[in-house]
Amino acid sequence: GGIITQTPKFLIGQEGQKLTLKCQQNFNHDTMYWYRQDSGKGLRLIYYSITENDLQKGDLSEGYDASREKKSSFSLTVTSAQKNEMAVFLCASSIRLGGHAETLYFGSGTRLTVL
Amino acid sequence: GDSVTQKEGLVTLTEGLPVMLNCTYQTIYSNAFLFWYVHYLNESPRLLLKSSTDNKRTEHQGFHATLHKSSSSFHLQKSSAQLSDSALYYCALSHTGYQNFYFGKGTSLTVIP
């Protein structure tokens, strides 16, 4: 078994601030993802990475940067936090089998509040 | 492009009644993989069911779903709802050659006594 660890669990920032969320996995999975979870909007992909140093933009990448310096870690930066922004950011990883992404394993999330 | 539709955003059921959460999808690829993920409060989302085989019933933890490619559906069912089934349920789609998933907007299921 393995685990995905997201830090911090709660993040409170000020408007305009640059904020970084971190994610570590010990599954040895190839692909890692960052999703944003908003009520009624489902899980929306921000960035994903299929290997170390690879970055692929998702539908919601504007306003975010990502970094995959090691296979086991994937960080997300909110480049300029928006006032009244509240969301949960979920990190996930998956193994690649037969050319497609397999089951996603999720972290417990980082809840962001911007004052 | 590919997409997943979960038409119910909120479902409230009385304990003991059957559960059916709808999931339909659109894809141009014949080799679709469908997933149901469940997200309980204060836990991480996790896989509930997955399938890529047409017309084959898949079961786990009392839930079941059958992928019907003819109708592009993968509805989640359970014969008798329990209070502990209250959670957010996501249907997701992937296909060969694609490293990502298309998620529906999720269905929040609340089971009441």
Side-chain angles (χ1 to χ4, degrees):
Chain A
I3 191 168
I4 294 183
T5 303
Q6 289 188 238
T7 54
K9 286 191 179 304
F10 299 94
L11 183 56
I12 300 175
Q14 301 291 324
E15 186 179 19
Q17 193 176 1
K18 180 189 266 190
L19 302 167
T20 298
L21 293 69
K22 294 186 184 295
C23 176
Q24 296 267 351
Q25 55 101 356
N26 63 0
F27 288 100
N28 198 33
H29 284 165
D30 302 301
T31 311
M32 295 185 74
Y33 308 79
W34 276 106
Y35 288 96
R36 177 175 163 142
Q37 183 182 46
D38 295 276
S39 178
K41 295 183 180 178
L43 296 177
R44 292 182 292 172
L45 182 67
I46 306 172
Y47 269 97
Y48 71 103
S49 166
I50 62 173
T51 190
E52 188 177 320
N53 293 318
D54 173 74
L55 290 176
Q56 308 283 338
K57 290 184 178 182
D59 292 338
L60 211 62
S61 62
E62 188 170 335
Y64 302 95
D65 285 330
S67 173
R68 181 101 182 264
E69 294 177 351
K70 294 190 298 184
K71 186 176 182 179
S72 61
S73 66
F74 194 31
S75 63
L76 180 73
T77 298
V78 181
T79 56
S80 179
Q82 300 299 304
K83 193 171 178 63
N84 298 322
E85 180 173 6
M86 280 186 65
V88 175
F89 292 84
L90 289 167
C91 178
S93 70
S94 74
I95 196 168
R96 284 206 305 270
L97 282 177
H100 69 275
E102 259 291 332
T103 304
L104 281 170
Y105 293 83
F106 287 90
S108 57
T110 293
R111 185 174 295 274
L112 171 67
T113 302
V114 181
L115 303 176
Chain B
D2 289 15
S3 66
V4 174
T5 300
Q6 293 180 249
K7 64 180 186 181
E8 310 105 348
L10 294 168
V11 172
T12 302
L13 282 175
T14 302
E15 189 178 14
L17 290 180
V19 178
M20 177 144 162
L21 306 183
N22 283 283
C23 173
T24 55
Y25 65 92
Q26 282 189 313
T27 181
I28 62 172
Y29 299 95
S30 59
N31 51 356
F33 298 82
L34 273 294
F35 304 79
W36 275 103
Y37 286 89
V38 60
H39 191 185
Y40 297 103
L41 192 63
N42 297 323
E43 294 185 15
S44 305
R46 62 173 186 259
L47 179 71
L48 182 58
L49 292 171
K50 64 179 179 182
S51 180
S52 60
T53 306
D54 198 11
N55 296 319
K56 182 180 176 184
R57 175 171 162 141
T58 303
E59 299 190 38
H60 187 60
Q61 293 185 323
F63 287 90
H64 62 91
T66 303
L67 176 58
H68 292 296
K69 293 189 177 183
S70 60
S71 57
S72 298
S73 67
F74 191 55
H75 306 318
L76 183 67
Q77 299 181 70
K78 187 178 185 186
S79 58
S80 175
Q82 297 177 286
L83 297 175
S84 58
D85 294 329
S86 296
L88 189 52
Y89 292 82
Y90 290 106
C91 184
L93 163 73
S94 187
H95 55 77
T96 300
Y98 192 56
Q99 299 304 317
N100 199 356
F101 300 83
Y102 299 92
F103 277 90
K105 292 187 176 182
T107 298
S108 178
L109 174 66
T110 301
V111 181
I112 58 175

